[in-house]
Amino acid sequence: MNVMSTPETKSKGVTFRRLWECLETADENCPPEASIAAALSSRHEYLSQLLAAFKPPSAQSKSALLTAKTPAAQEVDERQREFVGKLAAALSLDELQSLQLLHAYLRQLPGPSAFEYNDDAIAKIREMHWDERVCLLNCVASLFRNADDEQHKYYQTSSDIVDRLLREGLPSRVLQQYESLATSPPTAVPSAELRQAAAQQALREQAATLQLLFLVYYSRAQCPATDVLRTMQLFQKVGWGEMQPAFAGVWQQRTEPERALMARIGHLSALIVIETFNLEACHSLLFMPPSQPAASSECKWLDAEGQKQRLLITEELVNWARPALVLGQAHPLAVVVVAWSALCTMLAGHEQSPRDDDAEEAEPEGAAALRSLQQAASRLSAGGACWPYLTRLLDATKQDTNATGYNSVVLGFVNSFQAAFAITA
């Protein structure tokens, strides 16, 4: 039975996994656009608030469940109420949301007799809950992709929702969510095995969040110059996916899936930072005379605040680059240092005014930091820390749904590097 066959059934039985599958495939088994639009509209709080829409247990929801103050709670018998209370405690999830989750799980079973109210059921519903969290993030990512494809079955709905999400400040919430996932201590869980499973889930959520952040910046929004340093500082704080400070005591030995997820987080972090640099717009400056008004360019680094921010980033990256130079290993930070050096070199080339050989000219502010950065970037580039990492990144993401976007960002970086090299050659 197609549970989304009419707008009237928009809320019943539709999981985020099912919504994501429809948004991605849009095949003949998927409902018409009106039904998808209704289902998404009924879940707009989730689309806008992302994982923050999953609330912790509360006295108000517990009371509503026990006193049957909501239509859903009125259909629950005493045994289910008791089980939902245990489920909410086990998942650290609001009681009414736990009830909705239980109902969604029950609808997937062949019949009522297939369910037993025990710890095994809680474990299975936990897996579903974790899957729903990731699928929610994937749904929003799909909306951004579909909004850029006018031939897509759900283009108009996706475009309308994306425009609304951007008006509501989605980009900053995505970054805030990643920071919370990467740095906040996990909820206390009773066993070492479950702690490790929760840590793996956090990695999956981090990767899905960064995929969404990449799409937000790549397809629709521009990261303000004042936010670029904050983004980089966050990624540096968590070791570009490798440190995972929130789970430092969880892993005795990281498994291959965990290492792969951490590597993916590093890849996405590097791609996001390069995209926020606005390299291609700055590359276009090389074909404009310095006398042309900055307003005629889309480069965000030309205004006064951008210049100040540029100097701060340059000085910070010079400090960060020192360990990378010592290690000489392929690493996201090596790519970021080289990319930022290319950007600053291009801007310096554009901003140079004709010199009077007879006049003494003071060294521009930040020139010494730029030279240090260029030296670091040269060593990282020549020493094999940058380009092998990009090769590994592209190889690891070549089957990804966003592979075209990743390739485009890397190509723009390579072109900018070549342009900067031509300036200094």
Side-chain angles (χ1 to χ4, degrees):
M1 180 177 67
N2 186 351
V3 296
M4 289 193 297
S5 57
T6 66
E8 289 73 19
T9 60
K10 61 185 180 181
S11 297
K12 290 190 174 292
V14 188
T15 62
F16 283 113
R17 170 158 287 280
R18 176 60 177 153
L19 281 170
W20 176 44
E21 289 170 351
C22 288
L23 289 169
E24 282 294 293
T25 62
D27 59 23
E28 64 276 5
N29 295 319
C30 294
E33 187 166 23
S35 297
I36 280 285
L40 291 169
S41 176
S42 71
R43 288 159 178 74
H44 186 79
E45 180 184 359
Y46 286 90
L47 301 179
S48 180
Q49 299 299 320
L50 304 173
L51 298 184
F54 294 99
K55 307 297 184 183
S58 70
Q60 182 179 3
S61 291
K62 183 177 181 179
S63 174
L65 177 67
L66 294 176
T67 57
K69 289 182 178 178
T70 68
Q74 291 171 5
E75 301 174 3
V76 179
D77 59 29
E78 190 60 35
R79 191 181 186 190
Q80 276 195 348
R81 284 194 180 89
E82 181 181 351
F83 180 79
V84 168
K86 293 179 180 178
L87 183 63
L91 304 184
S92 296
L93 182 66
D94 176 88
E95 286 81 359
L96 295 180
Q97 290 181 319
S98 295
L99 177 60
Q100 293 171 357
L101 182 64
L102 172 61
H103 286 171
Y105 180 78
L106 291 174
R107 278 190 288 268
Q108 296 183 354
L109 298 179
S113 60
F115 185 78
E116 294 184 13
Y117 295 92
N118 54 28
D119 290 342
D120 184 54
I122 288 178
K124 291 177 180 177
I125 296 173
R126 178 188 288 111
E127 290 295 326
M128 181 179 182
H129 174 56
W130 285 352
D131 183 64
E132 282 289 277
R133 287 169 64 93
V134 174
C135 287
L136 165 60
L137 299 174
N138 290 342
C139 277
V140 183
S142 294
L143 289 170
F144 273 85
R145 280 191 296 270
N146 298 347
D148 277 347
D149 180 6
E150 294 185 3
Q151 304 305 312
H152 197 278
K153 180 178 181 178
Y154 304 130
Y155 163 74
Q156 191 59 57
T157 292
S158 298
S159 183
D160 291 345
I161 293 175
V162 164
D163 287 344
R164 180 178 173 183
L165 292 174
L166 292 175
R167 290 195 302 270
E168 292 170 349
L170 182 72
S172 62
R173 281 198 297 278
V174 178
L175 188 61
Q176 289 168 5
Q177 175 177 284
Y178 176 72
E179 182 173 14
S180 177
L181 288 170
T183 62
S184 299
T187 303
V189 288
S191 68
E193 182 180 2
L194 190 53
R195 282 195 294 274
Q196 181 144 2
Q200 292 175 3
Q201 172 66 13
L203 292 178
R204 287 189 286 270
E205 292 177 5
Q206 287 178 40
T209 300
L210 289 179
Q211 175 195 226
L212 174 57
L213 187 61
F214 172 84
L215 286 169
V216 167
Y217 287 146
Y218 178 73
S219 64
R220 288 298 181 101
Q222 186 177 100
C223 180
T226 51
D227 287 352
V228 175
L229 179 58
R230 176 190 164 216
T231 303
M232 293 170 58
Q233 288 171 330
L234 172 58
F235 291 163
Q236 177 72 2
K237 178 181 179 181
V238 298
W240 303 87
E242 294 178 355
M243 289 177 57
Q244 297 298 319
F247 298 96
V250 173
W251 288 293
Q252 299 300 320
Q253 185 175 358
R254 293 172 181 174
T255 64
E256 184 57 36
E258 290 163 354
R259 288 194 293 269
L261 281 167
M262 290 179 189
R264 177 169 174 77
I265 290 167
H267 298 334
L268 290 166
S269 299
L271 288 164
I272 289 167
V273 170
I274 294 172
E275 177 62 24
T276 65
F277 285 172
N278 203 210
L279 286 170
E280 293 192 18
C282 297
H283 187 183
S284 66
L285 291 174
L286 300 178
F287 304 97
M288 294 168 48
S291 58
Q292 188 166 336
S296 64
S297 167
E298 295 181 358
C299 181
K300 64 189 177 187
W301 300 103
L302 289 177
D303 59 14
E305 185 62 33
Q307 290 177 356
K308 178 182 177 182
Q309 189 77 358
R310 195 193 328 162
L311 180 58
L312 292 174
I313 292 176
T314 300
E315 292 173 340
E316 191 119 10
L317 273 177
V318 169
N319 293 329
W320 292 351
R322 292 191 179 102
L325 289 169
V326 173
L327 295 174
Q329 296 174 340
H331 190 273
L333 184 56
V335 177
V336 170
V337 170
V338 174
W340 185 251
S341 174
L343 180 143
C344 290
T345 301
M346 288 189 295
L347 289 175
H350 171 76
E351 292 168 347
Q352 266 185 344
S353 56
R355 290 191 57 177
D356 182 351
D357 293 337
D358 295 329
E360 292 187 7
E361 185 175 348
E363 185 173 69
E365 183 182 10
L370 176 57
R371 282 197 301 272
S372 296
L373 181 69
Q374 289 170 331
Q375 291 168 2
S378 177
R379 290 174 60 187
L380 289 170
S381 177
C386 175
W387 310 116
Y389 181 82
L390 280 180
T391 301
R392 184 196 309 166
L393 182 158
L394 292 175
D395 184 63
T397 58
K398 61 185 177 184
Q399 301 299 327
D400 196 283
T401 310
N402 305 314
T404 300
Y406 302 156
N407 291 337
S408 175
V409 170
V410 171
L411 180 60
F413 162 49
V414 172
N415 289 338
S416 298
F417 174 82
Q418 291 174 334
F421 180 80
I423 291 173
T424 57

